[in-house]
Amino acid sequence: MTSWVDLKSKYEISWCPGCTNFGILTAFLQAIEELIKDGKINKEDVVVTSGIGCAGKIGDYVNVSSFIGLHGRALPLGIGIKLGNPKLKVIVFQGDGDTYNEGLEHFISACKENPDVTLIVHNNKVFALTTGQHTFTTEPGYKSKSLGREVFEKPLNPMALALVSGATFVARGYSLWTDHLKYIIKEAILHRGFSFIDVIQPCITFHNTRNYYESRMYKLEDIGYNPTNFKEALEKAIEWDYTLREDSKIPVGIFYRSERVSLEDGLNTKEWYKINKDMNIRKLLSELLV
Ligand code: SF4
């Protein structure tokens, strides 16, 4: 029987002591453990891709197949792996800089095309590994080293963007509510189509917003929220505007889920996979090269 502790690699973890990324790692490993125990997934089929930054390091810390890609490009990498072998369960980890700055077009494209891939975003509202420069979700008033002034621009709202771009599973979690995050991750992995989780992950070293969030968050399940209505999901998505206003209330949980054809099914990639698997590539290449 696989325990979540065995699903952690032996590499030394280099996140800062007390970093909230540990909560995401634990929630993810426990989610995988439970899905394996319940016979819903096989460990051999799980593939993790990650980008660059503190979030990207998670690819080293999981004892499953993993691939650390370029900044902002872990999502298309994961989609490519899924298209190559549709049997795999692909989970992509990126930071907010990765996803909403460098890789924004990939994010919108995934929402629209609906590949059966899960994207987990560690959103600490800064480029943390490079010591706290602002990103597209940084709130006004934050002093960014790369700007030499305070941010005054409006932050991007990734929840609303995902919804209007066509995402079929949209959720927000909190890195230190690990049981709740584990539940969301399990639902996201089992969802057929693109599943997106924006995880609030305060960077305790460069942008410590823990107290702000913990006094304002509430769980959608606690108010009997039903995530099947698009308009209600959009209302929930704009309830918090990613600023640090005093009067904010921040919902976490599953905002929206719906069904439509996935990218793999639309392209019939199972058939490609069968053809590729049966094909003797070495023989084919030798014939082509003579
Ligand atoms: Fe965590 Fe911030 Fe340290 Fe990165 S810099 S490991 S996000 S606390």
Side-chain angles (χ1 to χ4, degrees), residues 14-22 53-55 57 122 124 126-132 201-207:
S14 63
W15 287 325
C16 304
C19 174
T20 62
N21 276 319
F22 285 96
C54 296
K57 294 180 181 185
H122 303 219
N124 49 33
V126 284
F127 287 103
L129 190 69
T130 48
T131 71
Q201 182 263 306
C203 167
I204 57 161
T205 303
F206 295 109
H207 193 23

